[in-house]
Amino acid sequence: LMIRGRVYTNLKLQYDTYLDEVIYTDTSRMIDNVYPMIALNKDIVEGFYFMRGGESIDFRNFKFPESSDNKMESGFYEIAYVGPTQFIIRHRSTQYNYNALNEYKYSPARYVLSGSSYNLIKNNKSFLQLFGDSSGLIRHYLKSSGIKVRRADKQEIIGVLKYFDSLSQ
């Protein structure tokens, strides 16, 4: 956990994708046989990371200016890939009612930095438009690899971006 330049390690953290909040579990005390869970102030948390199966999942708190031309929401984004191109994921959930119970549907939004702005990846067409003159090569790479952008996982998108970055070098 990074707060105001200080790094804290070995903490029990959770990330609430619906509220976009980091939850700290205070294991130093118990109240009514339960460890208290504290929602951390989003304004001072710079980032955090989780270790899962030997893999580090890194999150940063991005603050975007509020304007009509900016479609990005401020909040926590996973830094999936950093190279000449960048790939970030906004993990979010939407609430719906099912059989009188509140349920949550996980629906991440994936963005690639092209030029000076982040662009949402919706499908093959919107993804290929990001690559300009190299879109034909990327289309061939997607087809030969059997990658459908809409269903592609994080590692497949990172593979495509690494391939694109290798073309421009």
Side-chain angles (χ1 to χ4, degrees), residues 54-79:
E55 178 189 1
S56 175
I57 304 171
D58 192 16
F59 288 80
R60 292 285 176 265
N61 191 356
F62 284 104
K63 293 177 174 58
F64 295 102
E66 292 185 27
S67 64
S68 60
D69 60 333
N70 185 13
K71 299 174 186 111
M72 299 288 289
E73 290 181 51
S74 294
F76 294 106
Y77 288 81
E78 177 186 352
I79 309 297

Side-chain angles (χ1 to χ4, degrees), residues 65-131:
E66 292 185 27
S67 64
S68 60
D69 60 333
N70 185 13
K71 299 174 186 111
M72 299 288 289
E73 290 181 51
S74 294
F76 294 106
Y77 288 81
E78 177 186 352
I79 309 297
Y81 174 70
V82 176
T85 56
Q86 292 182 18
F87 176 43
I88 61 174
I89 304 169
R90 172 72 182 232
H91 296 275
R92 61 182 180 184
S93 298
T94 53
Q95 186 181 41
Y96 65 94
N97 198 291
Y98 181 74
N99 289 339
L101 294 173
N102 289 334
E103 298 283 335
Y104 297 90
K105 180 183 179 203
Y106 174 67
S107 53
R110 303 173 301 171
Y111 298 90
V112 172
L113 179 67
S114 70
S116 61
S117 65
Y118 286 97
N119 296 289
L120 179 64
I121 301 171
K122 296 178 187 172
N123 51 32
N124 279 16
K125 184 179 178 183
S126 68
F127 187 59
L128 289 170
Q129 287 174 343
L130 301 174
F131 301 107

Side-chain angles (χ1 to χ4, degrees), residues 10 19 48 68 81 84 96 140 142 150 155 157 164:
N10 298 324
L19 297 174
F48 59 95
S68 60
Y81 174 70
Y96 65 94
H140 182 272
L142 290 172
R150 185 174 287 217
Q155 295 306 321
I157 298 292
F164 173 71

